Tab-separated table of all heavy atoms in Angstrom:
chain	number	residue	atom	x	y	z
A	554	ALA	N	18.081	27.685	-27.437
A	554	ALA	CA	17.545	29.033	-27.109
A	554	ALA	C	16.419	29.398	-28.042
A	554	ALA	O	15.417	29.984	-27.666
A	554	ALA	CB	18.679	30.037	-27.132
A	555	GLY	N	16.619	29.088	-29.333
A	555	GLY	CA	15.577	29.374	-30.304
A	555	GLY	C	14.280	28.653	-30.043
A	555	GLY	O	13.177	29.221	-30.129
A	556	THR	N	14.356	27.392	-29.642
A	556	THR	CA	13.148	26.653	-29.345
A	556	THR	C	12.476	27.181	-28.082
A	556	THR	O	11.249	27.183	-27.969
A	556	THR	CB	13.430	25.138	-29.163
A	556	THR	OG1	14.323	24.917	-28.089
A	556	THR	CG2	13.985	24.532	-30.426
A	557	GLU	N	13.260	27.661	-27.124
A	557	GLU	CA	12.669	28.289	-25.931
A	557	GLU	C	11.930	29.572	-26.287
A	557	GLU	O	10.802	29.811	-25.783
A	557	GLU	CB	13.794	28.580	-24.894
A	557	GLU	CG	13.335	29.345	-23.659
A	557	GLU	CD	12.528	28.511	-22.675
A	557	GLU	OE1	12.161	27.354	-22.980
A	557	GLU	OE2	12.244	29.033	-21.553
A	558	LEU	N	12.487	30.372	-27.160
A	558	LEU	CA	11.820	31.588	-27.594
A	558	LEU	C	10.459	31.269	-28.243
A	558	LEU	O	9.436	31.916	-27.934
A	558	LEU	CB	12.694	32.380	-28.577
A	558	LEU	CG	13.848	33.179	-27.971
A	558	LEU	CD1	14.897	33.448	-29.010
A	558	LEU	CD2	13.328	34.473	-27.402
A	559	ILE	N	10.456	30.314	-29.140
A	559	ILE	CA	9.222	30.016	-29.881
A	559	ILE	C	8.184	29.417	-28.971
A	559	ILE	O	7.023	29.817	-28.972
A	559	ILE	CB	9.565	29.126	-31.070
A	559	ILE	CG1	10.319	29.916	-32.139
A	559	ILE	CG2	8.265	28.520	-31.666
A	559	ILE	CD1	10.860	29.051	-33.271
A	560	ARG	N	8.571	28.446	-28.161
A	560	ARG	CA	7.547	27.744	-27.334
A	560	ARG	C	6.967	28.679	-26.281
A	560	ARG	O	5.783	28.574	-25.908
A	560	ARG	CB	8.110	26.464	-26.744
A	560	ARG	CG	9.137	26.633	-25.630
A	560	ARG	CD	8.509	26.176	-24.318
A	560	ARG	NE	9.487	26.169	-23.228
A	560	ARG	CZ	9.164	25.771	-21.997
A	560	ARG	NH1	7.928	25.281	-21.735
A	560	ARG	NH2	10.023	25.828	-21.019
A	561	ARG	N	7.732	29.617	-25.791
A	561	ARG	CA	7.200	30.557	-24.766
A	561	ARG	C	6.292	31.617	-25.390
A	561	ARG	O	5.436	32.201	-24.753
A	561	ARG	CB	8.356	31.250	-24.062
A	561	ARG	CG	9.177	30.338	-23.187
A	561	ARG	CD	8.413	29.789	-22.011
A	561	ARG	NE	9.306	29.212	-20.989
A	561	ARG	CZ	8.908	28.721	-19.832
A	561	ARG	NH1	7.612	28.721	-19.522
A	561	ARG	NH2	9.800	28.183	-19.001
A	562	ALA	N	6.476	31.842	-26.699
A	562	ALA	CA	5.632	32.872	-27.375
A	562	ALA	C	4.312	32.308	-27.837
A	562	ALA	O	3.276	32.983	-27.766
A	562	ALA	CB	6.396	33.450	-28.567
A	563	ILE	N	4.257	31.019	-28.271
A	563	ILE	CA	3.026	30.535	-28.876
A	563	ILE	C	2.603	29.162	-28.304
A	563	ILE	O	1.531	28.693	-28.650
A	563	ILE	CB	3.200	30.365	-30.438
A	563	ILE	CG1	4.235	29.271	-30.741
A	563	ILE	CG2	3.573	31.682	-31.050
A	563	ILE	CD1	4.246	28.888	-32.205
A	564	GLY	N	3.375	28.567	-27.425
A	564	GLY	CA	3.065	27.248	-26.885
A	564	GLY	C	2.268	27.291	-25.614
A	564	GLY	O	1.588	28.229	-25.294
A	565	PHE	N	2.433	26.175	-24.838
A	565	PHE	CA	1.604	25.966	-23.667
A	565	PHE	C	1.958	26.866	-22.497
A	565	PHE	O	1.093	27.291	-21.752
A	565	PHE	CB	1.750	24.468	-23.250
A	565	PHE	CG	0.968	24.104	-22.055
A	565	PHE	CD1	-0.419	23.997	-22.098
A	565	PHE	CD2	1.592	23.825	-20.846
A	565	PHE	CE1	-1.137	23.642	-20.985
A	565	PHE	CE2	0.867	23.450	-19.730
A	565	PHE	CZ	-0.507	23.355	-19.770
A	566	SER	N	3.246	27.128	-22.298
A	566	SER	CA	3.734	27.831	-21.088
A	566	SER	C	4.260	29.195	-21.420
A	566	SER	O	5.444	29.329	-21.818
A	566	SER	CB	4.841	26.976	-20.397
A	566	SER	OG	4.330	25.739	-20.003
A	567	HIS	N	3.430	30.218	-21.322
A	567	HIS	CA	3.834	31.571	-21.617
A	567	HIS	C	4.593	32.146	-20.396
A	567	HIS	O	4.550	31.566	-19.306
A	567	HIS	CB	2.672	32.423	-21.977
A	567	HIS	CG	2.072	32.077	-23.314
A	567	HIS	ND1	1.194	32.917	-23.942
A	567	HIS	CD2	2.262	31.010	-24.112
A	567	HIS	CE1	0.828	32.367	-25.089
A	567	HIS	NE2	1.465	31.210	-25.213
A	568	VAL	N	5.217	33.297	-20.589
A	568	VAL	CA	5.993	33.923	-19.521
A	568	VAL	C	5.613	35.403	-19.400
A	568	VAL	O	5.145	36.008	-20.350
A	568	VAL	CB	7.512	33.799	-19.783
A	568	VAL	CG1	7.962	32.364	-19.618
A	568	VAL	CG2	7.879	34.332	-21.155
A	569	ALA	N	5.867	35.953	-18.222
A	569	ALA	CA	5.487	37.314	-17.933
A	569	ALA	C	6.246	38.287	-18.833
A	569	ALA	O	5.760	39.423	-19.085
A	569	ALA	CB	5.737	37.657	-16.481
A	570	ASP	N	7.419	37.940	-19.299
A	570	ASP	CA	8.217	38.844	-20.146
A	570	ASP	C	7.436	39.259	-21.431
A	570	ASP	O	7.704	40.336	-21.971
A	570	ASP	CB	9.499	38.165	-20.594
A	570	ASP	CG	10.282	37.585	-19.416
A	570	ASP	OD1	9.870	36.537	-18.876
A	570	ASP	OD2	11.294	38.214	-19.032
A	571	LEU	N	6.530	38.420	-21.865
A	571	LEU	CA	5.761	38.690	-23.097
A	571	LEU	C	4.302	39.016	-22.846
A	571	LEU	O	3.493	39.054	-23.780
A	571	LEU	CB	5.842	37.490	-24.067
A	571	LEU	CG	7.266	37.127	-24.565
A	571	LEU	CD1	7.192	35.928	-25.508
A	571	LEU	CD2	7.963	38.322	-25.243
Side-chain angles (χ1 to χ4, degrees):
T556 61
E557 174 74 351
L558 282 160
I559 290 172
R560 71 110 175 183
R561 293 294 195 176
I563 66 170
F565 179 72
S566 299
H567 290 194
V568 290
D570 307 76
L571 298 180

